[in-house]
């Protein structure tokens, strides 16, 4: 496994890599959710490239960039065990050299939910992913369904800008109590960690309602709000039923729909979602 930090170095080696190339962008502090993406990429690619880069431009000024958990050596040994071919771990100065001034804005979808609460977040995500796609030139890039709005933003960008790769979404990997795995779960103390599972319970409840034939979206959103509201340590940001491509609130459930939820548990922000149509 090669560990590369320079863009020129990576591009020079790239011509020797067997195709298809599968790219897995991450911010490191790897867990089984990341590993699921890596395994899917390994199954479907001749060369697997995992990037580890805590992207400063997707964090707001009051967010957790400075204290985002990092464990580079451990990450490298996890990726080695998964038979990854290349780890690309650039510095911020390599990705954003002095004078950097070009940004990718995906309009519409980024004004809703996560985009509304975290202004500039998706601009940072779309820009860094564009750069990684150009640097690595993969046939496929793998993203977690856990960050469903991110998947939708990246798919829209790839479609609108005619980028030559496929975006694959990998199902969310969960802890035993249903909490979606996330590097940010490391911030939770004992009682917060126990309370955080309420997001999964709320999503599961609406999925059950849907399976039982309920098609009343107000009832379903209210059900999520009520369940999350029962946990004193959890403060809801939003709970809604949306179109998984546009993230617009859906008015009828004839088409595939996604239940989404975001909340703060202490100072930790968690998001999760569940498709209703399966
Ligand atoms: P991050 O390092 O948090 O930026 O995540 C890197 C990639 O892993 C993103 O595409 C995430 O959606 C994905 N990911 C994070 N947590 C999970 C999870 N629990 N299950 C599946 N994918 C995940």
């Amino acid at each position: 496994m090669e560990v590369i930090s320079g863009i020129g170095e990576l591009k020079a080696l790239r011509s020797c890599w067997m195709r298809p190339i599968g790219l897995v962008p991450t911010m490191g502090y790897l867990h089984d959710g990341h590993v699921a993406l890596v395994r899917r990429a390994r199954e479907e690619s001749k060369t697997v490239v995992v990037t580890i880069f805590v992207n400063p431009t997707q964090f707001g000024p009051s967010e957790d960039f400075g204290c985002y958990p990092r464990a580079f050596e451990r990450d490298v040994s996890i990726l080695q065990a998964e038979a990854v071919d290349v780890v690309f771990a650039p510095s911020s100065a390599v990705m954003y050299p002095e004078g950097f001034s070009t940004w990718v804005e995906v309009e519409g979808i980024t004004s809703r939910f996560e985009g509304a609460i975290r202004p500039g977040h998706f601009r940072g995500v779309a820009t860094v992913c564009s750069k990684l796609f150009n640097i690595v030139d993969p046939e496929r890039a793998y993203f977690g369904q856990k960050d469903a709005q991110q998947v939708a933003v990246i798919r829209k960008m790839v479609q609108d800008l005619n980028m030559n790769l496929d975006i694959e979404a990998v199902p969310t990997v969960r802890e035993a109590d249903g909490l979606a795995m996330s590097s940010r779960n490391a911030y939770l103390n004992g009682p917060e960690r126990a309370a955080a599972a309420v997001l999964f319970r709320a999503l599961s409840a609406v999925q059950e309602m849907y399976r039982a034939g309920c098609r009343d979206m107000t009832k379903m959103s209210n059900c999520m709000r009520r369940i999350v509201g029962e946990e004193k340590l959890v403060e809801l940001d939003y709970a809604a039923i949306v179109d998984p491509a546009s993230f617009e609130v859906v008015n009828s459930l004839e088409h595939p729909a996604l239940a989404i939820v975001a909340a703060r548990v202490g100072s930790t922000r968690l998001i999760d979602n569940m498709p209703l149509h399966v």
Side-chain angles (χ1 to χ4, degrees):
M1 188 174 82
E2 307 205 53
V3 180
I4 300 173
S5 57
I7 294 171
E9 190 189 353
L10 187 141
K11 283 188 174 174
L13 291 168
R14 195 179 70 189
S15 54
C16 307
W17 295 344
M18 288 203 293
R19 289 186 173 272
I21 297 171
L23 170 68
V24 182
T26 83
M27 298 206 295
Y29 207 71
L30 303 179
H31 51 66
D32 286 352
H34 298 110
V35 170
L37 271 59
V38 171
R39 290 190 178 160
R40 190 56 198 281
R42 183 70 282 169
E43 275 167 32
E44 298 177 355
S45 326
K46 286 264 165 45
T47 303
V48 175
V49 181
V50 177
T51 65
I52 298 178
F53 179 58
V54 184
N55 175 34
T57 66
Q58 70 187 69
F59 289 79
S62 60
E63 292 184 359
D64 55 344
F65 175 68
C67 62
Y68 195 83
R70 291 161 169 90
F72 186 70
E73 298 306 326
R74 194 186 60 119
D75 290 349
V76 167
S77 51
I78 290 171
L79 297 175
Q80 185 123 41
E82 296 297 329
V84 165
D85 299 290
V86 179
V87 175
F88 178 51
S91 66
S92 289
V94 161
M95 290 298 272
Y96 300 106
E98 216 175 299
F100 181 92
S101 63
T102 303
W103 301 96
V104 181
E105 291 266 10
V106 180
E107 294 180 347
I109 179 173
T110 59
S111 64
R112 298 186 263 278
F113 298 103
E114 285 307 286
I117 288 177
R118 305 181 67 189
H121 170 66
F122 286 124
R123 181 176 96 142
V125 169
T127 302
V128 80
C129 286
S130 299
K131 286 172 68 68
L132 293 173
F133 296 168
N134 285 332
I135 293 165
V136 177
D137 189 27
E139 273 75 12
R140 297 186 200 97
Y142 296 83
F143 291 86
Q145 181 61 36
K146 190 207 143 236
D147 299 290
Q149 196 171 359
Q150 172 171 275
V151 173
V153 168
I154 298 297
R155 285 203 162 125
K156 185 82 172 77
M157 174 185 83
V158 164
Q159 183 187 9
D160 286 354
L161 297 183
N162 310 102
M163 293 176 165
N164 290 318
L165 78 164
D166 292 327
I167 301 302
E168 304 291 342
V170 177
T172 303
V173 177
R174 299 180 179 281
E175 303 284 358
D177 64 356
L179 176 65
M181 288 190 179
S182 164
S183 306
R184 288 192 170 96
N185 292 352
Y187 298 148
L188 301 169
N189 65 28
E192 288 170 350
R193 169 63 191 83
V198 76
L199 300 191
F200 176 73
R201 292 202 301 278
L203 290 166
S204 302
V206 289
Q207 194 179 59
E208 241 350 279
M209 285 170 84
Y210 182 81
R211 283 179 177 151
C214 176
R215 296 293 182 269
D216 181 336
M217 278 145 315
T218 311
K219 215 177 194 174
M220 291 161 108
S221 303
N222 286 342
C223 167
M224 286 198 281
R225 289 190 192 103
R226 182 183 50 72
I227 293 174
V228 174
E230 284 164 7
E231 272 293 352
K232 296 286 165 287
L233 293 177
V234 179
E235 197 155 331
L236 189 72
D237 275 342
Y238 58 75
I241 315 289
V242 300
D243 176 299
S246 68
F247 270 67
E248 281 178 294
V249 171
V250 291
N251 295 315
S252 93
L253 282 178
E254 300 313 315
H255 302 290
L258 194 67
I260 59 171
V261 65
R264 278 157 291 131
V265 188
S267 56
T268 307
R269 205 160 166 280
L270 300 176
I271 61 172
D272 201 351
N273 67 86
M274 204 173 276
L276 293 183
H277 54 282
V278 290

